[in-house]
Amino acid sequence: QVQLVESGGGLVQAGGSLRLSCAASGSIISINAMGWYRQAPGKQRELVAAITSGGSTNYADSVNGRFTISRDNAKNTVYLQMNSLKPEDTAVYYCNADRVVSDYGIMGVVELSGYWGQGTQVTVSS
């Protein structure tokens, strides 16, 4: 069973910074893609940033240049450094992992996608 646990959310003033972390645990062999999504009240969940195991990154236009995604493959952990935060960045931020290869014991090695963390609240005050 793979679990994702986020940390690092909180309340910050506009212009400030926060760093989110997400650690994946379980009998993980490898994770192809990890990313951060966010969902504001009344809005759909949207991609913020994603990173592959090889280090290729993708950012939403709204955060490009302000947010930086990185990962530690050895620790199965992904980070999101958020700078120059704006009130419109306020949302619940969710960690995602796709194409996770895990050892399921007698079931063998299995690749699954669509793992989500429980979410962490980020609130930016004006």
Side-chain angles (χ1 to χ4, degrees):
Q1 188 78 2
V2 174
Q3 291 187 325
L4 303 180
V5 178
E6 301 119 333
S7 61
L11 173 64
V12 65
Q13 288 189 333
S17 298
L18 282 174
R19 188 185 192 220
L20 305 183
S21 299
C22 171
S25 63
S27 300
I28 298 170
I29 298 172
S30 65
I31 304 175
N32 183 293
M34 299 187 78
W36 290 95
Y37 288 70
R38 67 186 180 188
Q39 188 167 19
K43 294 187 177 182
Q44 289 189 329
R45 190 173 297 189
E46 62 176 0
L47 174 68
V48 176
I51 184 168
T52 68
S53 57
S56 297
T57 59
N58 182 37
Y59 294 94
D61 290 342
S62 59
V63 307
N64 201 14
R66 299 187 297 122
F67 292 9
T68 301
I69 189 170
S70 61
R71 65 186 282 177
D72 184 332
N73 290 330
K75 295 182 179 179
N76 293 320
T77 300
V78 64
Y79 307 95
L80 186 68
Q81 178 66 43
M82 304 185 293
N83 298 330
S84 302
L85 282 161
K86 304 175 181 179
E88 50 263 44
D89 294 318
T90 295
V92 178
Y93 283 70
Y94 297 91
C95 176
N96 170 264
D98 278 336
R99 295 184 61 188
V100 180
V101 180
S102 303
D103 185 353
Y104 277 76
I106 61 173
M107 293 177 61
V109 174
V110 179
E111 181 183 282
L112 296 173
S113 291
Y115 291 101
W116 293 94
Q118 80 285 356
T120 185
Q121 177 70 46
V122 171
T123 303
V124 184
S125 63
S126 56

